[in-house]
Amino acid sequence: MTENREDEILGKAYDSNLMKRLLSYVKPYARYVVFAILLNIVVAALGPVRPYLTKIAIDDYIVESNFNGLLLIGLLLVASLIFQAVIQYFLTYYTQLMGQKIIYDLRTKLFNHIQKLALRFFDRTPIGRTVTRVTNDIESLNELFSSGIVMVFSDIFIILWILVFMFFMSWELSLVALSVLPVLVYATFLFRRKVRDAYRDVRKHLARLNSYMQEHIGGMNVVQIFTKENEELQKFSKINTDHKQANINSIFYYAVFYPFVEILSSAAVALIIWYGGGNVIQGTLTIGVLFAFIQYTEMFFRPVRDLSEKYNIMQTAMASSERIFKLFDDNTMIQNPEHPERLNKVKGKIEFQNVWFAYNPEEYVLKDVSFKINPGETVAIVGHTGAGKTSIINILTRFYDIQKGSILFDGLNIAALDKRELRKHISIVLQDVYLFAGTIKTNISLNSPDISEERIVEAARTVGAYDFISKLSDGFDSEVKEKGATLSVGQKQLISFARALAYDPKILILDEATSSVDTETEKLIQQAILKLLKGRTSIVIAHRLSTIQNSDKIIVMHKGEIKEMGTHRELLAKRDIYFKLYQLQYKDQEITKTA
Amino acid sequence: MGSLLQLNKYLFRYKTKLVLGISFILVSNAAGVLIPLFIKDAIDGLRTVFSNITVYDSAKVYDIVLNNGILIFIAAVVSGFFRFLIRQTIIVVSREIEYDIRQDFWTHIQRLPLRFFQNNSTGNIMAHATNDIGAVRMYVGPAVMYSIDTISTFIIVIALMITINIPLTIYTLLPLPILSFFVYKLSKRIHKKFTLIQEKFSELTTKAQESFSGIRVIKSYVKEQNEVDAFNKLSNEYLIRNMDKVKIQALFMPLLYLIAGTSVIIVIILGGSMVINGTLSLGEITAFVVFLGYLIWPTIAFGWVANIIQQADASMKRLDKIMNEKYEIEDSAKTDFSITDINGEIEFENVSFKYNDGSDYVLRNINLKIPCGSTIAIIGHTGEGKSTMVNLIARLYDIKEGTIKIDGNPINTIPLKILRKSIGLVPQETFLFSETLANNILYGVNQKDKELVKKYSSVAMLDKDVDDFPNGYDTMIGERGITLSGGQKQRTCLARALAVEPRVLILDDSFSAIDTGTEEGILKNLSSYFAGRTSILISHRISTIRNADKIIVLDKGRIVEEGLHDELVALGGIYADIHLKQLLEEELEEIN
């Protein structure tokens, strides 16, 4: 339950530990940051310099009727404008580039980390949530990195430059003009806080509205079966009204704040006119200065307002980064030994010695399981649902580590081997075939450079998939999934057989699918399985009578234990568990075969 | 643009507020444009200080300056106050209209047939309800507000500028249409680039989704690095697309300053030379510069609004498409409103059914009579049409071939509300609302009756479980509460259906997650509570249905076997086979 709430963390506005970790991703781009700040110092001056130039234009040239001087100022103004535009462009470009690169780094690193996590992690975490971490959560950091960090400097520099020019011209008038500043700052922060609360309220109601709709679209048949349309509409109206009201509340703050800022700015102008005008009359100030100051008040207000906005960016970033780093800190991994033992000349012998295994502590799904498979042997594992068949596969490939006992591969404990090397020698064909977006070819080779095109075609031919593949519009280059050819369940299985064969593993694990396919495909599959198993150590979770009959040994699992072991005939003669399983699952196949 | 006309009826509803809002815009702008004029007067007053010709009266000049300062402030307050009122009217109306549209949308959605929900994903419908309605609101609110604001500001300001100086007005305004045009073009291109970015982002999401879903295969074949490489490649493409947008977006502010700045420079140089020539006053230049400041934002808004309107139009079209979906299943001219209740005799006459015109038949020539008060069971493999059969009785789909009659009346003549109220259908998917357990059970009942909750929970044998819940029947279910087990969910759904005390009870595989012992108890309870009512049970388990008055076996949409349990076992067909296997399973289960 607490996990469910994870997405709702609003977060603190600032957390120095998180910030430190976030900034560590900026470090590789330190020269971008320095460069951007330097550019900012320059570009921030270009805006404020213009009112100063107009002051000179008025006082020195217009009032003195010097047309040439006026033209010169005009040229300077144009130059500063173009210069500012160009620098501004590159500045924006580079800060965004930096932000995007940092986002790229974070995202790919996180993805890489997740790929390394053990299956246990995927068992307990909904996929949707993990996907959100690498997509939306990372995305919400974008603003912080691409505009947040650098733009804070930009705003500060603009404010500083304006102050420099203002005080240079008249410190007295500057103080008068700035007298509205405390009110502005206070109003801004008050507004931010109110708006933030109002916005949270809006978001809360929006979430309610969305989850109501989501839920009721999903359960519309229940609504209709119970003829509750009218009652539901009333409930919906209530939620819809709350959402509207929350929005209207937030409108109020905007409606107050923006006009208020405009009034403040006009008040500053009025003050400048009144006080500055007095100075002009006394001869201590020129009209040009007055003119420049009127322009400065306008310039000054924007960065002050923006600075407070950065606070919001920071807050969103904090909430997302908290979730992201939590995932980074998750270390559910299957540890590789530091000095793994080397496998020389793999033979493919497997031995389970008194293996105990549980997914959850103390709930053993495998109890004291021991068996031996010699190189080249085929072993069928049979049992009713929940007997522990799949768990045997899971622990053999070290998707999970066992609690007690040991599993030996060519006499070496698999825990002492490099798990990547171990898995390279074992191919698994799972029950529900997973096809990736891509072509049939890439789904067989899984983009391995070692697997040549000939080998792909050869593998497909061997398992009997060649015929239907070549009939597809683009043959082996046909896209599977979404836009591509729709493959039947049986065809997908054949492709996964071809995949396993192309990798030519020493050991093959096959989890036979139970889903029914048409007789023709069934025949193809049966033949393919025989070819697949030939010449290699194989473990099959068998659902096909033909597979069982062709295996060297059958292991009968029941409630986590091995109950019987032997050949098909031996076990049938016992007339015990296998006999019952046979009647339940396999006997029908005999009938259809003879029929 | 045509589809936005649909909004007229909504706009009309709030005509008073809208008219008020528009007049507030005019008042606010009228007060606002006075400010530059007061600045002009103040500066021209001061100018006399520098004129060498006249001797000036410093007290009089000071009065001019002070008065204009006060006037500026008053004008600002008046203008600001009406700005406040504008937002409180027009933007508020946009939220009202958003509410109305959403309300209409939901009312409509609720009446659409199940078919609609099967053909449209929840996500898709949600997108219309959120994004599209949001886009339309942007049109009704901000777009309308800024358009009127822009146009009125333009008219007033330009008129005033013309009274000051015509040639200077023309020259300074020249760059502004270019600005509008750039904003329009740029935001359009940015929007396009943004769509491309969104596409890449969804590719990225799909890739992540796929890599995490296929993690077993990936790990089995040691393909982690491949996945990482592919993901890095996509991330990089995403970066490139983002930068493509940045290339254009970064132009925005510089161009804006460049063009707006050009106007100011024109005023200073051209205006300055006019002052030198004596055809313009210094105060008038200042007024021009301030006026320009007034025009720049509306000019930007102009291009921006054009884009909003386009997007709103596209969204409105998508909404229209849903709003035009037919209800299909509702009362019609054939409905006989004199039918006020149902007894419970059901008859299928030659019913055949397929979901879509092009698809295969799911049911073929079903003929079946279910006498009032009897219990009938349907068994068969998955996908053989069992659920379809019962869904047809509740008219979740309408049939085109054959007739289904209840008490001798074809079901499409029975008022839909009466029909559904009399049928307690427990669907196969156990859907519960994120509500308290009690509210879920009382879902179909219009009263908060605790006794009813307890009574039917005990019939459904849910009461023992509830004792262990933290808040008993007031425990929240679902995401914000406890997660029920599959069996508990099924029993809650059963209690919910029982609480409406239907004449016909239909259980679509409602015991699959319940152990046989509990099942037996529930069936016993049902037979005493529901004596005299019709029951239809769908099940995969023999234990559920062996005591039914009649069992039918469906295979490929046809009734292939029919009779009592013993008869069917003796028949040695599909039913007998299922029976044998379940016996074996039970035996296996007992071995330790």
Side-chain angles (χ1 to χ4, degrees), chain A residues 54 215 232 237 580 588, chain B residues 103 238 268 434 443 581 587:
Chain A
T54 45
E215 180 169 306
E232 287 298 347
S237 303
K580 290 201 169 82
D588 289 347
Chain B
Q103 198 74 12
Y238 180 64
I268 287 165
S434 312
Y443 185 72
K581 284 194 174 152
E587 281 174 34

Side-chain angles (χ1 to χ4, degrees), chain A residues 518-585:
Chain A
D518 59 280
T519 9
E520 205 173 317
T521 320
E522 174 64 30
K523 217 185 256 168
L524 279 178
I525 289 177
Q526 287 192 14
Q527 284 164 2
I529 289 174
L530 288 183
K531 284 176 187 152
L532 212 54
L533 304 182
K534 215 172 123 190
R536 60 186 111 235
T537 315
S538 313
I539 301 176
V540 189
I541 295 178
H543 295 292
R544 280 192 177 72
L545 189 61
S546 58
T547 319
I548 297 175
Q549 285 171 334
N550 283 307
S551 61
D552 300 300
K553 185 159 54 181
I554 299 167
I555 295 174
V556 183
M557 301 281 303
H558 191 71
K559 295 182 179 170
E561 290 173 72
I562 294 181
K563 288 284 185 188
E564 296 169 12
M565 223 187 285
T567 64
H568 179 60
R569 283 190 184 287
E570 289 165 17
L571 292 175
L572 270 188
K574 277 177 123 175
R575 298 187 83 79
D576 198 6
I577 296 181
Y578 182 77
F579 180 71
K580 290 201 169 82
L581 277 171
Y582 168 76
Q583 284 181 304
L584 193 60
Q585 294 177 359

Side-chain angles (χ1 to χ4, degrees), chain B residues 334-497:
Chain B
K334 280 187 218 152
T335 312
D336 178 359
F337 287 100
S338 67
I339 303 173
T340 51
D341 56 6
I342 277 171
N343 213 11
E345 186 202 68
I346 302 169
E347 196 175 353
F348 279 71
E349 282 176 1
N350 263 323
V351 174
S352 294
F353 181 77
K354 49 188 175 185
Y355 281 97
N356 294 303
D357 286 339
S359 55
D360 292 337
Y361 277 101
V362 186
L363 292 176
R364 295 160 205 260
N365 289 322
I366 300 288
N367 282 295
L368 177 68
K369 193 162 181 172
I370 307 169
C372 185
S374 69
T375 299
I376 188 160
I378 309 174
I379 194 166
H381 297 293
T382 351
E384 306 291 14
K386 303 186 296 289
S387 298
T388 310
M389 233 178 113
V390 293
N391 285 341
L392 292 182
I393 302 175
R395 278 190 81 193
L396 291 176
Y397 300 91
D398 263 349
I399 44 170
K400 292 199 179 111
E401 296 167 61
T403 333
I404 300 174
K405 287 181 182 163
I406 294 182
D407 302 342
N409 301 309
I411 50 169
N412 57 359
T413 65
I414 303 171
L416 193 59
K417 215 167 165 121
I418 304 288
L419 175 78
R420 289 191 179 157
K421 279 207 159 153
S422 317
I423 295 173
L425 169 61
V426 182
Q428 201 170 2
E429 317 87 60
T430 50
F431 184 90
L432 294 172
F433 293 100
S434 312
E435 275 274 358
T436 63
L437 189 63
N439 284 346
N440 265 296
I441 292 172
L442 289 176
Y443 185 72
V445 186
N446 284 331
Q447 58 204 36
K448 299 265 169 259
D449 188 341
K450 284 234 148 122
E451 289 311 305
L452 214 59
V453 175
K454 276 189 195 145
K455 180 177 163 195
Y456 288 108
S457 298
S458 83
V459 176
M461 298 193 71
L462 184 67
D463 48 350
K464 297 277 181 301
D465 297 59
V466 178
D467 292 342
D468 297 335
F469 293 165
N471 297 315
Y473 289 101
D474 293 324
T475 306
M476 286 293 283
I477 291 174
E479 268 184 39
R480 287 169 189 283
I482 59 164
T483 314
L484 298 181
S485 73
Q488 287 168 338
K489 275 190 200 161
Q490 286 186 334
R491 280 175 283 155
T492 312
C493 288
L494 177 61
R496 176 174 68 187

Side-chain angles (χ1 to χ4, degrees), chain A residues 20 34 120 130 144 205 233 345 361 407 483 519 530 545 548 560 565:
Chain A
K20 244 181 243 162
V34 172
R120 260 180 213 282
T130 317
L144 175 75
H205 285 102
L233 189 61
K345 197 91 178 79
I407 303 171
K483 311 168 255 199
T519 9
L530 288 183
L545 189 61
I548 297 175
M565 223 187 285

Side-chain angles (χ1 to χ4, degrees), chain B residues 20-32:
Chain B
L20 269 180
I22 291 167
S23 28
F24 294 153
I25 292 179
L26 298 180
V27 176
S28 169
N29 285 341

Side-chain angles (χ1 to χ4, degrees), chain A residues 365-379:
Chain A
V365 288
L366 290 181
K367 299 167 202 162
D368 202 25
V369 169
S370 300
F371 62 85
K372 201 195 279 183
I373 307 173
N374 291 317
E377 256 182 6
T378 297
V379 167

